[in-house]
Amino acid sequence: MEIQPKSNTATGPTEWFTGDVFFDVLAGARPEPSRMRVYTVRFTPGARTAWHSHAVGQTLHVTEGVGLIQVRGGEIIEIHPGQTIYTPPGEWHWHGATPTDFMAHLAMWEAVADGTETTWGEHVTEEEYGAR
Ligand code: MN
């Protein structure tokens, strides 16, 4: 057994996020065959991911605030604490806070052998973000 030391809170890189985003690694890289990744991600009002997809899908569990998520070609959906959202492998989407609320979620996904567990695309524009 190992009681893990808390990792430092990191800021979301600007190439992957718009606005101020903070994450804590709860389950990071372990020796193979472990593939589990679990992060707490906190979005400040207006902050969101860029468009992206996950090679092995992703499960999000909202823990605080009010959030938004959109699949490419779909409507923006409001998400709340207690909700769990699954995006299947390769489905392009973004997630983040509303313009007026913080949002925190657990993000759970699996690594892949070649390291490309998440494929990142363009930022979510103000026009896309405001379209609800
Ligand atoms: Mn995602």
Side-chain angles (χ1 to χ4, degrees):
M1 191 192 81
E2 176 187 339
I3 296 178
Q4 298 184 113
K6 187 195 168 298
S7 61
N8 291 338
T9 299
T11 53
T14 55
E15 62 265 46
W16 297 347
F17 298 96
T18 298
D20 292 327
V21 177
F22 301 89
F23 60 86
D24 287 73
V25 179
L26 303 185
R30 295 281 186 193
E32 289 282 330
S34 173
R35 299 285 172 85
M36 183 171 73
R37 304 285 185 264
V38 183
Y39 284 36
T40 296
V41 188
R42 296 184 171 92
F43 298 84
T44 58
R48 67 269 188 180
T49 68
W51 288 99
H52 64 283
S53 68
H54 305 283
V56 194
Q58 182 180 58
T59 300
L60 302 174
H61 182 78
V62 183
T63 55
E64 285 185 61
V66 186
L68 301 173
I69 187 166
Q70 183 181 27
V71 168
R72 183 88 80 189
E75 300 205 335
I76 298 173
I77 295 167
E78 194 173 288
I79 54 176
H80 296 271
Q83 286 187 298
T84 303
I85 302 99
Y86 175 68
T87 56
E91 184 172 82
W92 282 82
H93 66 280
W94 62 267
H95 30 109
T98 71
T100 53
D101 300 278
F102 283 86
M103 190 274 281
H105 65 45
L106 294 173
M108 297 164 272
W109 73 97
E110 292 167 75
V112 292
D114 69 4
T116 60
E117 57 241 48
T118 303
T119 301
W120 292 96
E122 69 280 14
H123 283 90
V124 175
T125 65
E126 292 299 321
E127 187 177 17
E128 288 173 312
Y129 181 68
R132 76 178 175 116

